[in-house]
Amino acid sequence: MSVKNRLQIILITYNRAKFVRQTLCRIFDEKSPISDFDFLVIDNNSTDDTQQVIKEFSEKYKNIRYIKNKYNIGISGNIARAMESANKDYVWILGDDDVYDFSNWGEVEKAINNNEKLICISRYVLPEKYKDNLAYQLFQLTFITGGIYSTSLFNDTTMRNTVDNIFTLFPHMFPIVSHINSGGKVYVVDKPISDNGWKIEPKDCSYIRGHKDVDNLCERTRLMSW
């Protein structure tokens, strides 16, 4: 079975029309190796032009599906929703403002074909001397776009723990930690595919972005920081 049929790509977004356009231009570039993959956008009830941007691309690329949440459930809520929505052997969840270099995509396909359960595709906190260091691997995988997961890691227990930890920024870490605790390994690519892009342009990374009634949010959410 080809990787195209095994990997689903899910983009989570909220009020980032400009960055979403940049991301989609990169994903659907004529030289992109993933332009014809199953592509789902989960929009966290954006109020800007995000929906219009997605519509523009989906009219041209029929493999794009779009879901708009009824409410802004926060970035962690949308991560959990993306995980729950995954319906192929593997899932790659993308942020809406990250950057990509597909020149090493062949290594990712090889890892999937070898049935690696957990593939780390970012390296900005993983220099070569720490490539095999589990602590650094886990730190890198806190970056949601930095990991491609086998959906066999998702089950009632790991997904329940994911939902129970939506109040953190890292609900996606629970299938990862469960995999490690069961003796599993992290496959780290030699050359990164994704980066957070913060060096290119400052972003609004507030975890409560878009909520007007901030004072009535839970204290742990209001005060959360990386």
Side-chain angles (χ1 to χ4, degrees), residues 12-218:
I12 56 173
T13 187
Y14 171 72
N15 274 11
R16 288 274 180 78
K18 172 185 174 181
F19 297 118
V20 165
R21 181 178 294 279
Q22 293 175 356
T23 297
L24 293 178
C25 283
R26 187 70 186 94
I27 298 297
F28 291 95
D29 181 85
E30 62 180 10
K31 296 181 180 179
S32 167
I34 61 172
S35 60
D36 59 347
F37 281 42
D38 181 357
F39 195 89
L40 172 64
V41 179
I42 305 181
D43 178 359
N44 217 354
N45 195 30
S46 292
T47 57
D48 66 353
D49 293 332
T50 294
Q51 184 170 357
Q52 183 59 38
V53 172
I54 303 301
K55 180 181 179 182
E56 174 187 330
F57 276 82
S58 62
E59 288 175 349
K60 183 175 181 181
Y61 303 101
K62 302 305 181 183
N63 53 313
I64 298 176
R65 294 183 295 123
Y66 174 76
I67 295 173
K68 185 172 185 178
N69 294 340
K70 185 175 181 180
Y71 305 102
N72 178 355
I73 57 176
I75 183 174
S76 294
N78 222 18
I79 289 172
R81 183 161 194 208
M83 293 168 67
E84 193 275 333
S85 300
N87 58 17
K88 290 187 179 293
D89 294 341
Y90 287 82
V91 63
W92 183 19
I93 301 172
L94 310 184
D96 54 15
D97 58 359
D98 302 318
V99 295
Y100 305 92
D101 177 358
F102 294 116
S103 59
N104 191 35
W105 183 253
E107 185 180 4
V108 176
E109 296 217 352
K110 182 178 179 180
I112 291 175
N113 285 328
N114 287 339
N115 296 313
E116 298 285 352
K117 300 292 187 183
L118 182 57
I119 307 166
C120 181
I121 59 171
S122 292
R123 295 288 303 270
Y124 63 81
V125 297
L126 266 180
E128 193 61 31
K129 66 178 180 178
Y130 295 129
K131 181 179 179 181
D132 298 321
N133 184 300
L134 179 58
Y136 279 83
Q137 291 173 350
L138 290 174
F139 183 27
Q140 184 63 82
L141 287 167
T142 61
F143 174 45
I144 183 63
T145 310
I148 292 177
Y149 316 102
S150 166
T151 53
S152 66
L153 303 180
F154 301 169
N155 55 50
D156 287 350
T157 300
T158 58
M159 289 303 297
R160 175 60 185 265
N161 285 335
T162 290
V163 171
D164 281 348
N165 284 275
I166 282 176
F167 72 90
T168 74
L169 186 63
F170 311 121
H172 57 290
M173 295 301 292
F174 288 86
I176 294 172
V177 171
S178 177
H179 172 66
I180 297 299
N181 286 345
S182 299
K185 304 295 183 181
V186 180
Y187 181 95
V188 181
V189 297
D190 289 330
K191 180 181 177 182
I193 305 296
S194 63
D195 193 276
N196 61 29
W198 291 353
K199 303 180 189 69
I200 297 175
E201 183 173 355
K203 314 284 196 309
D204 176 4
C205 298
S206 168
Y207 303 158
I208 55 177
R209 187 164 52 91
H211 286 281
K212 297 179 181 179
D213 192 13
V214 173
D215 289 342
N216 284 319
L217 291 175
C218 294

